[in-house]
Amino acid sequence: MAIDFVQPLVRVLLCTVATLFGLLTIGAGSRVMLGADPGYVVYQPLLLYNTVMGLGYLATAFIGWRSSIHGRNGAASIFGLNLLVLAGVFLLYSFGADIAVDSLHAMTLRTVVWLALLFGFWWLARKTPN
């Protein structure tokens, strides 16, 4: 009986976090693209990647609302892409590229959030038929 209450709550939580994260990502990226100064050097390819990925975050939230299996797959894809980009940006930073440490911190946060969402959708997909 308790599990019947927990699963919908977890789905709402996961999709809400993904939606809010997507909206915040799009908002922050758009502001910088329109000229706002974030207070550190902006690596343009990373800015573009993150802003576009905000749309993917929203899409995954929508998909995850309808199907926990597809939400899991979307979260896994986003986590994997973010991890690859984080590794690439870290390598560039290590070799002296003009990348702010704040960008590494933000990319690490994105990667960790999507790892948590992946675990949540994975758990939900194991418990629900869709």
Side-chain angles (χ1 to χ4, degrees):
M1 173 128 171
I3 201 76
D4 293 336
F5 172 74
V6 172
Q7 290 171 342
L9 186 62
V10 169
R11 184 183 304 266
V12 167
L13 177 65
L14 294 171
C15 293
T16 299
V17 169
T19 298
L20 291 175
F21 211 66
L23 292 172
L24 289 170
T25 299
I26 292 167
S30 297
R31 277 194 308 276
V32 173
M33 285 183 178
L34 293 172
D37 182 9
Y40 53 86
V41 176
V42 175
Y43 183 59
Q44 293 297 323
L46 183 60
L47 173 63
L48 181 60
Y49 168 80
N50 284 326
T51 305
V52 169
M53 284 303 291
L55 297 172
Y57 298 172
L58 293 176
T60 299
F62 177 76
I63 291 166
W65 183 258
R66 298 183 52 104
S67 166
S68 45
I69 292 171
H70 290 85
R72 178 199 62 202
N73 295 344
S77 298
I78 290 171
F79 168 71
L81 287 169
N82 282 354
L83 187 60
L84 285 172
V85 169
L86 174 60
V89 170
F90 180 76
L91 281 174
L92 290 171
Y93 176 81
S94 297
F95 287 114
D98 200 14
I99 296 174
V101 71
D102 292 343
S103 294
L104 286 172
H105 292 157
M107 199 64 223
T108 300
L109 174 66
R110 286 179 178 91
T111 304
V112 168
V113 165
W114 280 96
L115 178 60
L117 290 170
L118 170 57
F119 283 140
F121 278 117
W122 171 80
W123 178 85
L124 196 60
R126 292 184 60 215
K127 303 289 183 186
T128 58
N130 62 355

mmCIF file of all heavy atoms in Angstrom, residues 41-91:
data_model
loop_
_atom_site.group_PDB
_atom_site.id
_atom_site.type_symbol
_atom_site.label_atom_id
_atom_site.label_comp_id
_atom_site.label_asym_id
_atom_site.label_seq_id
_atom_site.Cartn_x
_atom_site.Cartn_y
_atom_site.Cartn_z
ATOM 1 N N VAL A 41 35.037 34.080 -17.141
ATOM 2 C CA VAL A 41 35.228 33.837 -18.569
ATOM 3 C C VAL A 41 34.247 32.765 -19.034
ATOM 4 O O VAL A 41 34.104 31.722 -18.397
ATOM 5 C CB VAL A 41 36.673 33.372 -18.855
ATOM 6 C CG1 VAL A 41 36.856 33.012 -20.321
ATOM 7 C CG2 VAL A 41 37.667 34.439 -18.446
ATOM 8 N N VAL A 42 33.571 33.039 -20.133
ATOM 9 C CA VAL A 42 32.583 32.102 -20.662
ATOM 10 C C VAL A 42 33.196 31.343 -21.838
ATOM 11 O O VAL A 42 33.672 31.952 -22.798
ATOM 12 C CB VAL A 42 31.308 32.846 -21.124
ATOM 13 C CG1 VAL A 42 30.334 31.888 -21.784
ATOM 14 C CG2 VAL A 42 30.668 33.562 -19.956
ATOM 15 N N TYR A 43 33.186 30.038 -21.748
ATOM 16 C CA TYR A 43 33.633 29.186 -22.842
ATOM 17 C C TYR A 43 32.403 28.945 -23.721
ATOM 18 O O TYR A 43 31.487 28.207 -23.359
ATOM 19 C CB TYR A 43 34.208 27.875 -22.290
ATOM 20 C CG TYR A 43 34.764 26.954 -23.327
ATOM 21 C CD1 TYR A 43 35.805 27.355 -24.161
ATOM 22 C CD2 TYR A 43 34.269 25.671 -23.485
ATOM 23 C CE1 TYR A 43 36.328 26.505 -25.123
ATOM 24 C CE2 TYR A 43 34.780 24.814 -24.443
ATOM 25 C CZ TYR A 43 35.806 25.239 -25.256
ATOM 26 O OH TYR A 43 36.315 24.394 -26.213
ATOM 27 N N GLN A 44 32.367 29.617 -24.859
ATOM 28 C CA GLN A 44 31.171 29.666 -25.698
ATOM 29 C C GLN A 44 30.611 28.301 -26.107
ATOM 30 O O GLN A 44 29.398 28.107 -26.056
ATOM 31 C CB GLN A 44 31.432 30.534 -26.945
ATOM 32 C CG GLN A 44 31.629 32.011 -26.643
ATOM 33 C CD GLN A 44 30.405 32.656 -26.025
ATOM 34 O OE1 GLN A 44 29.271 32.346 -26.370
ATOM 35 N NE2 GLN A 44 30.630 33.565 -25.085
ATOM 36 N N PRO A 45 31.461 27.340 -26.511
ATOM 37 C CA PRO A 45 30.880 26.027 -26.862
ATOM 38 C C PRO A 45 30.149 25.371 -25.679
ATOM 39 O O PRO A 45 29.109 24.741 -25.866
ATOM 40 C CB PRO A 45 32.091 25.195 -27.291
ATOM 41 C CG PRO A 45 33.089 26.206 -27.757
ATOM 42 C CD PRO A 45 32.889 27.392 -26.855
ATOM 43 N N LEU A 46 30.667 25.549 -24.487
ATOM 44 C CA LEU A 46 30.013 24.989 -23.309
ATOM 45 C C LEU A 46 28.709 25.722 -23.021
ATOM 46 O O LEU A 46 27.705 25.092 -22.670
ATOM 47 C CB LEU A 46 30.941 25.056 -22.092
ATOM 48 C CG LEU A 46 30.416 24.437 -20.806
ATOM 49 C CD1 LEU A 46 30.123 22.944 -20.993
ATOM 50 C CD2 LEU A 46 31.413 24.652 -19.673
ATOM 51 N N LEU A 47 28.708 27.016 -23.193
ATOM 52 C CA LEU A 47 27.486 27.805 -23.005
ATOM 53 C C LEU A 47 26.399 27.336 -23.974
ATOM 54 O O LEU A 47 25.255 27.113 -23.571
ATOM 55 C CB LEU A 47 27.774 29.293 -23.219
ATOM 56 C CG LEU A 47 26.566 30.223 -23.229
ATOM 57 C CD1 LEU A 47 25.852 30.218 -21.888
ATOM 58 C CD2 LEU A 47 27.008 31.631 -23.616
ATOM 59 N N LEU A 48 26.756 27.172 -25.227
ATOM 60 C CA LEU A 48 25.790 26.716 -26.226
ATOM 61 C C LEU A 48 25.292 25.303 -25.896
ATOM 62 O O LEU A 48 24.092 25.036 -25.940
ATOM 63 C CB LEU A 48 26.408 26.766 -27.622
ATOM 64 C CG LEU A 48 25.506 26.348 -28.766
ATOM 65 C CD1 LEU A 48 24.279 27.233 -28.845
ATOM 66 C CD2 LEU A 48 26.272 26.389 -30.086
ATOM 67 N N TYR A 49 26.210 24.408 -25.557
ATOM 68 C CA TYR A 49 25.839 23.037 -25.208
ATOM 69 C C TYR A 49 24.838 23.034 -24.052
ATOM 70 O O TYR A 49 23.790 22.387 -24.129
ATOM 71 C CB TYR A 49 27.085 22.227 -24.820
ATOM 72 C CG TYR A 49 26.754 20.906 -24.186
ATOM 73 C CD1 TYR A 49 26.403 19.807 -24.962
ATOM 74 C CD2 TYR A 49 26.769 20.754 -22.796
ATOM 75 C CE1 TYR A 49 26.077 18.593 -24.377
ATOM 76 C CE2 TYR A 49 26.448 19.538 -22.205
ATOM 77 C CZ TYR A 49 26.102 18.471 -22.994
ATOM 78 O OH TYR A 49 25.769 17.277 -22.411
ATOM 79 N N ASN A 50 25.172 23.735 -22.986
ATOM 80 C CA ASN A 50 24.303 23.716 -21.815
ATOM 81 C C ASN A 50 22.938 24.326 -22.091
ATOM 82 O O ASN A 50 21.919 23.815 -21.611
ATOM 83 C CB ASN A 50 24.973 24.426 -20.636
ATOM 84 C CG ASN A 50 26.044 23.567 -20.008
ATOM 85 O OD1 ASN A 50 25.935 22.355 -19.948
ATOM 86 N ND2 ASN A 50 27.102 24.205 -19.540
ATOM 87 N N THR A 51 22.899 25.388 -22.863
ATOM 88 C CA THR A 51 21.623 26.022 -23.170
ATOM 89 C C THR A 51 20.739 25.088 -23.994
ATOM 90 O O THR A 51 19.555 24.922 -23.700
ATOM 91 C CB THR A 51 21.843 27.359 -23.897
ATOM 92 O OG1 THR A 51 22.710 28.178 -23.091
ATOM 93 C CG2 THR A 51 20.540 28.094 -24.112
ATOM 94 N N VAL A 52 21.320 24.454 -24.980
ATOM 95 C CA VAL A 52 20.562 23.505 -25.802
ATOM 96 C C VAL A 52 20.140 22.290 -24.968
ATOM 97 O O VAL A 52 19.010 21.802 -25.097
ATOM 98 C CB VAL A 52 21.378 23.079 -27.044
ATOM 99 C CG1 VAL A 52 20.724 21.914 -27.763
ATOM 100 C CG2 VAL A 52 21.555 24.264 -27.987
ATOM 101 N N MET A 53 21.010 21.840 -24.087
ATOM 102 C CA MET A 53 20.676 20.693 -23.250
ATOM 103 C C MET A 53 19.506 21.007 -22.317
ATOM 104 O O MET A 53 18.778 20.092 -21.913
ATOM 105 C CB MET A 53 21.886 20.234 -22.438
ATOM 106 C CG MET A 53 22.908 19.473 -23.265
ATOM 107 S SD MET A 53 22.259 18.008 -24.108
ATOM 108 C CE MET A 53 21.948 16.939 -22.711
ATOM 109 N N GLY A 54 19.313 22.274 -21.992
ATOM 110 C CA GLY A 54 18.150 22.650 -21.192
ATOM 111 C C GLY A 54 16.861 22.187 -21.846
ATOM 112 O O GLY A 54 15.918 21.753 -21.174
ATOM 113 N N LEU A 55 16.814 22.247 -23.169
ATOM 114 C CA LEU A 55 15.643 21.730 -23.896
ATOM 115 C C LEU A 55 15.532 20.218 -23.736
ATOM 116 O O LEU A 55 14.442 19.674 -23.588
ATOM 117 C CB LEU A 55 15.730 22.104 -25.375
ATOM 118 C CG LEU A 55 15.710 23.599 -25.690
ATOM 119 C CD1 LEU A 55 15.989 23.840 -27.164
ATOM 120 C CD2 LEU A 55 14.394 24.214 -25.264
ATOM 121 N N GLY A 56 16.667 19.541 -23.753
ATOM 122 C CA GLY A 56 16.681 18.100 -23.519
ATOM 123 C C GLY A 56 16.224 17.748 -22.113
ATOM 124 O O GLY A 56 15.554 16.737 -21.899
ATOM 125 N N TYR A 57 16.565 18.605 -21.158
ATOM 126 C CA TYR A 57 16.119 18.386 -19.776
ATOM 127 C C TYR A 57 14.596 18.465 -19.707
ATOM 128 O O TYR A 57 13.953 17.637 -19.054
ATOM 129 C CB TYR A 57 16.715 19.427 -18.840
ATOM 130 C CG TYR A 57 18.228 19.456 -18.729
ATOM 131 C CD1 TYR A 57 18.854 20.473 -18.024
ATOM 132 C CD2 TYR A 57 19.048 18.499 -19.319
ATOM 133 C CE1 TYR A 57 20.228 20.530 -17.889
ATOM 134 C CE2 TYR A 57 20.424 18.557 -19.202
ATOM 135 C CZ TYR A 57 21.012 19.572 -18.478
ATOM 136 O OH TYR A 57 22.371 19.626 -18.357
ATOM 137 N N LEU A 58 14.037 19.474 -20.385
ATOM 138 C CA LEU A 58 12.577 19.618 -20.395
ATOM 139 C C LEU A 58 11.914 18.437 -21.110
ATOM 140 O O LEU A 58 10.888 17.922 -20.646
ATOM 141 C CB LEU A 58 12.172 20.924 -21.067
ATOM 142 C CG LEU A 58 12.560 22.209 -20.336
ATOM 143 C CD1 LEU A 58 12.176 23.427 -21.169
ATOM 144 C CD2 LEU A 58 11.926 22.273 -18.958
ATOM 145 N N ALA A 59 12.496 18.017 -22.217
ATOM 146 C CA ALA A 59 11.940 16.880 -22.961
ATOM 147 C C ALA A 59 11.975 15.614 -22.106
ATOM 148 O O ALA A 59 11.009 14.841 -22.086
ATOM 149 C CB ALA A 59 12.710 16.671 -24.264
ATOM 150 N N THR A 60 13.063 15.417 -21.391
ATOM 151 C CA THR A 60 13.164 14.227 -20.546
ATOM 152 C C THR A 60 12.165 14.280 -19.399
ATOM 153 O O THR A 60 11.593 13.252 -19.017
ATOM 154 C CB THR A 60 14.605 14.063 -20.024
ATOM 155 O OG1 THR A 60 15.471 13.900 -21.154
ATOM 156 C CG2 THR A 60 14.743 12.860 -19.109
ATOM 157 N N ALA A 61 11.922 15.460 -18.860
ATOM 158 C CA ALA A 61 10.904 15.600 -17.811
ATOM 159 C C ALA A 61 9.537 15.194 -18.352
ATOM 160 O O ALA A 61 8.795 14.438 -17.706
ATOM 161 C CB ALA A 61 10.865 17.033 -17.290
ATOM 162 N N PHE A 62 9.208 15.664 -19.543
ATOM 163 C CA PHE A 62 7.924 15.332 -20.160
ATOM 164 C C PHE A 62 7.826 13.835 -20.449
ATOM 165 O O PHE A 62 6.829 13.180 -20.140
ATOM 166 C CB PHE A 62 7.733 16.140 -21.451
ATOM 167 C CG PHE A 62 6.472 15.794 -22.187
ATOM 168 C CD1 PHE A 62 5.247 16.251 -21.744
ATOM 169 C CD2 PHE A 62 6.519 14.999 -23.319
ATOM 170 C CE1 PHE A 62 4.073 15.925 -22.414
ATOM 171 C CE2 PHE A 62 5.359 14.670 -24.007
ATOM 172 C CZ PHE A 62 4.132 15.136 -23.544
ATOM 173 N N ILE A 63 8.875 13.298 -21.037
ATOM 174 C CA ILE A 63 8.902 11.870 -21.363
ATOM 175 C C ILE A 63 8.849 11.030 -20.091
ATOM 176 O O ILE A 63 8.154 10.020 -20.028
ATOM 177 C CB ILE A 63 10.160 11.539 -22.205
ATOM 178 C CG1 ILE A 63 10.035 12.161 -23.594
ATOM 179 C CG2 ILE A 63 10.391 10.040 -22.289
ATOM 180 C CD1 ILE A 63 11.329 12.186 -24.379
ATOM 181 N N GLY A 64 9.591 11.453 -19.079
ATOM 182 C CA GLY A 64 9.602 10.718 -17.813
ATOM 183 C C GLY A 64 8.265 10.738 -17.108
ATOM 184 O O GLY A 64 7.929 9.811 -16.365
ATOM 185 N N TRP A 65 7.492 11.790 -17.337
ATOM 186 C CA TRP A 65 6.156 11.857 -16.758
ATOM 187 C C TRP A 65 5.256 10.778 -17.353
ATOM 188 O O TRP A 65 4.433 10.190 -16.674
ATOM 189 C CB TRP A 65 5.566 13.243 -16.999
ATOM 190 C CG TRP A 65 4.221 13.411 -16.371
ATOM 191 C CD1 TRP A 65 3.004 13.367 -16.996
ATOM 192 C CD2 TRP A 65 3.950 13.617 -14.987
ATOM 193 N NE1 TRP A 65 2.004 13.547 -16.083
ATOM 194 C CE2 TRP A 65 2.559 13.698 -14.836
ATOM 195 C CE3 TRP A 65 4.763 13.741 -13.857
ATOM 196 C CZ2 TRP A 65 1.949 13.905 -13.608
ATOM 197 C CZ3 TRP A 65 4.158 13.941 -12.632
ATOM 198 C CH2 TRP A 65 2.773 14.028 -12.522
ATOM 199 N N ARG A 66 5.452 10.519 -18.631
ATOM 200 C CA ARG A 66 4.614 9.550 -19.334
ATOM 201 C C ARG A 66 5.120 8.113 -19.188
ATOM 202 O O ARG A 66 4.340 7.184 -19.214
ATOM 203 C CB ARG A 66 4.534 9.936 -20.801
ATOM 204 C CG ARG A 66 3.889 11.317 -20.990
ATOM 205 C CD ARG A 66 3.737 11.674 -22.438
ATOM 206 N NE ARG A 66 3.070 10.611 -23.146
ATOM 207 C CZ ARG A 66 1.801 10.635 -23.542
ATOM 208 N NH1 ARG A 66 1.071 11.684 -23.286
ATOM 209 N NH2 ARG A 66 1.281 9.625 -24.206
ATOM 210 N N SER A 67 6.443 7.940 -19.092
ATOM 211 C CA SER A 67 7.020 6.596 -19.034
ATOM 212 C C SER A 67 8.318 6.624 -18.231
ATOM 213 O O SER A 67 9.271 7.299 -18.619
ATOM 214 C CB SER A 67 7.303 6.089 -20.450
ATOM 215 O OG SER A 67 8.133 4.955 -20.418
ATOM 216 N N SER A 68 8.333 5.878 -17.145
ATOM 217 C CA SER A 68 9.539 5.855 -16.323
ATOM 218 C C SER A 68 10.706 5.177 -17.048
ATOM 219 O O SER A 68 11.857 5.545 -16.850
ATOM 220 C CB SER A 68 9.271 5.185 -14.981
ATOM 221 O OG SER A 68 8.527 4.013 -15.130
ATOM 222 N N ILE A 69 10.401 4.224 -17.921
ATOM 223 C CA ILE A 69 11.472 3.563 -18.685
ATOM 224 C C ILE A 69 12.113 4.556 -19.654
ATOM 225 O O ILE A 69 13.345 4.653 -19.734
ATOM 226 C CB ILE A 69 10.929 2.320 -19.426
ATOM 227 C CG1 ILE A 69 10.540 1.253 -18.417
ATOM 228 C CG2 ILE A 69 11.951 1.791 -20.432
ATOM 229 C CD1 ILE A 69 9.789 0.078 -19.003
ATOM 230 N N HIS A 70 11.304 5.314 -20.366
ATOM 231 C CA HIS A 70 11.847 6.311 -21.285
ATOM 232 C C HIS A 70 12.515 7.456 -20.522
ATOM 233 O O HIS A 70 13.510 8.021 -20.980
ATOM 234 C CB HIS A 70 10.756 6.829 -22.215
ATOM 235 C CG HIS A 70 10.315 5.811 -23.214
ATOM 236 N ND1 HIS A 70 9.359 4.876 -22.923
ATOM 237 C CD2 HIS A 70 10.716 5.564 -24.477
ATOM 238 C CE1 HIS A 70 9.180 4.096 -23.977
ATOM 239 N NE2 HIS A 70 9.990 4.491 -24.937
ATOM 240 N N GLY A 71 11.986 7.795 -19.360
ATOM 241 C CA GLY A 71 12.629 8.791 -18.509
ATOM 242 C C GLY A 71 14.005 8.331 -18.067
ATOM 243 O O GLY A 71 14.966 9.102 -18.072
ATOM 244 N N ARG A 72 14.083 7.057 -17.712
ATOM 245 C CA ARG A 72 15.386 6.480 -17.337
ATOM 246 C C ARG A 72 16.364 6.557 -18.501
ATOM 247 O O ARG A 72 17.518 6.949 -18.343
ATOM 248 C CB ARG A 72 15.206 5.023 -16.910
ATOM 249 C CG ARG A 72 16.504 4.321 -16.555
ATOM 250 C CD ARG A 72 16.358 2.817 -16.602
ATOM 251 N NE ARG A 72 16.018 2.401 -17.960
ATOM 252 C CZ ARG A 72 15.422 1.256 -18.257
ATOM 253 N NH1 ARG A 72 15.065 0.420 -17.307
ATOM 254 N NH2 ARG A 72 15.156 0.955 -19.506
ATOM 255 N N ASN A 73 15.889 6.211 -19.691
ATOM 256 C CA ASN A 73 16.763 6.244 -20.862
ATOM 257 C C ASN A 73 17.206 7.669 -21.190
ATOM 258 O O ASN A 73 18.365 7.897 -21.545
ATOM 259 C CB ASN A 73 16.059 5.605 -22.057
ATOM 260 C CG ASN A 73 15.800 4.127 -21.846
ATOM 261 O OD1 ASN A 73 16.378 3.484 -20.967
ATOM 262 N ND2 ASN A 73 14.908 3.570 -22.633
ATOM 263 N N GLY A 74 16.287 8.610 -21.076
ATOM 264 C CA GLY A 74 16.634 10.011 -21.308
ATOM 265 C C GLY A 74 17.632 10.513 -20.284
ATOM 266 O O GLY A 74 18.609 11.189 -20.623
ATOM 267 N N ALA A 75 17.406 10.175 -19.012
ATOM 268 C CA ALA A 75 18.329 10.601 -17.955
ATOM 269 C C ALA A 75 19.702 9.972 -18.148
ATOM 270 O O ALA A 75 20.730 10.621 -17.928
ATOM 271 C CB ALA A 75 17.757 10.245 -16.584
ATOM 272 N N ALA A 76 19.725 8.713 -18.591
ATOM 273 C CA ALA A 76 21.007 8.042 -18.846
ATOM 274 C C ALA A 76 21.758 8.732 -19.982
ATOM 275 O O ALA A 76 22.973 8.938 -19.905
ATOM 276 C CB ALA A 76 20.783 6.569 -19.172
ATOM 277 N N SER A 77 21.036 9.106 -21.024
ATOM 278 C CA SER A 77 21.664 9.798 -22.156
ATOM 279 C C SER A 77 22.223 11.151 -21.731
ATOM 280 O O SER A 77 23.357 11.503 -22.079
ATOM 281 C CB SER A 77 20.654 9.991 -23.290
ATOM 282 O OG SER A 77 20.212 8.748 -23.771
ATOM 283 N N ILE A 78 21.424 11.895 -20.986
ATOM 284 C CA ILE A 78 21.875 13.218 -20.538
ATOM 285 C C ILE A 78 23.065 13.082 -19.599
ATOM 286 O O ILE A 78 24.055 13.812 -19.721
ATOM 287 C CB ILE A 78 20.725 13.993 -19.878
ATOM 288 C CG1 ILE A 78 19.702 14.391 -20.941
ATOM 289 C CG2 ILE A 78 21.241 15.230 -19.138
ATOM 290 C CD1 ILE A 78 18.414 14.965 -20.388
ATOM 291 N N PHE A 79 22.993 12.149 -18.657
ATOM 292 C CA PHE A 79 24.113 11.934 -17.751
ATOM 293 C C PHE A 79 25.380 11.589 -18.536
ATOM 294 O O PHE A 79 26.447 12.152 -18.292
ATOM 295 C CB PHE A 79 23.804 10.829 -16.732
ATOM 296 C CG PHE A 79 25.024 10.386 -15.983
ATOM 297 C CD1 PHE A 79 25.610 11.202 -15.038
ATOM 298 C CD2 PHE A 79 25.597 9.148 -16.246
ATOM 299 C CE1 PHE A 79 26.759 10.802 -14.361
ATOM 300 C CE2 PHE A 79 26.735 8.734 -15.577
ATOM 301 C CZ PHE A 79 27.318 9.560 -14.627
ATOM 302 N N GLY A 80 25.259 10.660 -19.487
ATOM 303 C CA GLY A 80 26.421 10.261 -20.281
ATOM 304 C C GLY A 80 27.014 11.413 -21.077
ATOM 305 O O GLY A 80 28.236 11.607 -21.091
ATOM 306 N N LEU A 81 26.153 12.189 -21.738
ATOM 307 C CA LEU A 81 26.640 13.347 -22.497
ATOM 308 C C LEU A 81 27.302 14.370 -21.583
ATOM 309 O O LEU A 81 28.370 14.900 -21.899
ATOM 310 C CB LEU A 81 25.487 13.999 -23.263
ATOM 311 C CG LEU A 81 24.977 13.230 -24.472
ATOM 312 C CD1 LEU A 81 23.671 13.851 -24.978
ATOM 313 C CD2 LEU A 81 26.025 13.202 -25.572
ATOM 314 N N ASN A 82 26.661 14.648 -20.455
ATOM 315 C CA ASN A 82 27.233 15.620 -19.521
ATOM 316 C C ASN A 82 28.577 15.149 -18.977
ATOM 317 O O ASN A 82 29.501 15.940 -18.814
ATOM 318 C CB ASN A 82 26.267 15.917 -18.376
ATOM 319 C CG ASN A 82 25.160 16.862 -18.771
ATOM 320 O OD1 ASN A 82 25.151 17.413 -19.871
ATOM 321 N ND2 ASN A 82 24.202 17.049 -17.889
ATOM 322 N N LEU A 83 28.688 13.858 -18.700
ATOM 323 C CA LEU A 83 29.951 13.312 -18.206
ATOM 324 C C LEU A 83 31.050 13.448 -19.262
ATOM 325 O O LEU A 83 32.184 13.831 -18.936
ATOM 326 C CB LEU A 83 29.767 11.850 -17.798
ATOM 327 C CG LEU A 83 30.941 11.190 -17.100
ATOM 328 C CD1 LEU A 83 31.287 11.915 -15.802
ATOM 329 C CD2 LEU A 83 30.618 9.721 -16.816
ATOM 330 N N LEU A 84 30.712 13.167 -20.513
ATOM 331 C CA LEU A 84 31.699 13.329 -21.595
ATOM 332 C C LEU A 84 32.125 14.789 -21.749
ATOM 333 O O LEU A 84 33.321 15.082 -21.898
ATOM 334 C CB LEU A 84 31.124 12.820 -22.917
ATOM 335 C CG LEU A 84 31.047 11.318 -23.087
ATOM 336 C CD1 LEU A 84 30.282 10.960 -24.362
ATOM 337 C CD2 LEU A 84 32.445 10.706 -23.117
ATOM 338 N N VAL A 85 31.165 15.691 -21.709
ATOM 339 C CA VAL A 85 31.488 17.115 -21.838
ATOM 340 C C VAL A 85 32.304 17.580 -20.641
ATOM 341 O O VAL A 85 33.277 18.322 -20.790
ATOM 342 C CB VAL A 85 30.205 17.964 -22.020
ATOM 343 C CG1 VAL A 85 30.485 19.443 -21.886
ATOM 344 C CG2 VAL A 85 29.582 17.654 -23.381
ATOM 345 N N LEU A 86 31.939 17.132 -19.446
ATOM 346 C CA LEU A 86 32.716 17.487 -18.254
ATOM 347 C C LEU A 86 34.158 17.017 -18.391
ATOM 348 O O LEU A 86 35.091 17.767 -18.107
ATOM 349 C CB LEU A 86 32.072 16.883 -17.001
ATOM 350 C CG LEU A 86 32.841 17.051 -15.693
ATOM 351 C CD1 LEU A 86 33.033 18.525 -15.352
ATOM 352 C CD2 LEU A 86 32.120 16.332 -14.558
ATOM 353 N N ALA A 87 34.348 15.791 -18.852
ATOM 354 C CA ALA A 87 35.709 15.264 -19.039
ATOM 355 C C ALA A 87 36.473 16.096 -20.071
ATOM 356 O O ALA A 87 37.644 16.438 -19.862
ATOM 357 C CB ALA A 87 35.653 13.800 -19.462
ATOM 358 N N GLY A 88 35.809 16.440 -21.168
ATOM 359 C CA GLY A 88 36.464 17.246 -22.202
ATOM 360 C C GLY A 88 36.820 18.632 -21.711
ATOM 361 O O GLY A 88 37.941 19.124 -21.951
ATOM 362 N N VAL A 89 35.905 19.266 -20.997
ATOM 363 C CA VAL A 89 36.167 20.614 -20.480
ATOM 364 C C VAL A 89 37.272 20.562 -19.430
ATOM 365 O O VAL A 89 38.140 21.436 -19.374
ATOM 366 C CB VAL A 89 34.866 21.232 -19.909
ATOM 367 C CG1 VAL A 89 35.141 22.509 -19.153
ATOM 368 C CG2 VAL A 89 33.877 21.495 -21.038
ATOM 369 N N PHE A 90 37.276 19.506 -18.610
ATOM 370 C CA PHE A 90 38.338 19.358 -17.615
ATOM 371 C C PHE A 90 39.697 19.200 -18.281
ATOM 372 O O PHE A 90 40.690 19.799 -17.841
ATOM 373 C CB PHE A 90 38.064 18.166 -16.694
ATOM 374 C CG PHE A 90 39.134 17.975 -15.663
ATOM 375 C CD1 PHE A 90 39.200 18.809 -14.553
ATOM 376 C CD2 PHE A 90 40.087 16.985 -15.811
ATOM 377 C CE1 PHE A 90 40.200 18.651 -13.609
ATOM 378 C CE2 PHE A 90 41.092 16.815 -14.872
ATOM 379 C CZ PHE A 90 41.151 17.654 -13.763
ATOM 380 N N LEU A 91 39.754 18.417 -19.356
ATOM 381 C CA LEU A 91 41.022 18.261 -20.092
ATOM 382 C C LEU A 91 41.478 19.601 -20.678
ATOM 383 O O LEU A 91 42.661 19.948 -20.574
ATOM 384 C CB LEU A 91 40.873 17.224 -21.206
ATOM 385 C CG LEU A 91 40.940 15.771 -20.777
ATOM 386 C CD1 LEU A 91 40.637 14.848 -21.949
ATOM 387 C CD2 LEU A 91 42.307 15.451 -20.190
#
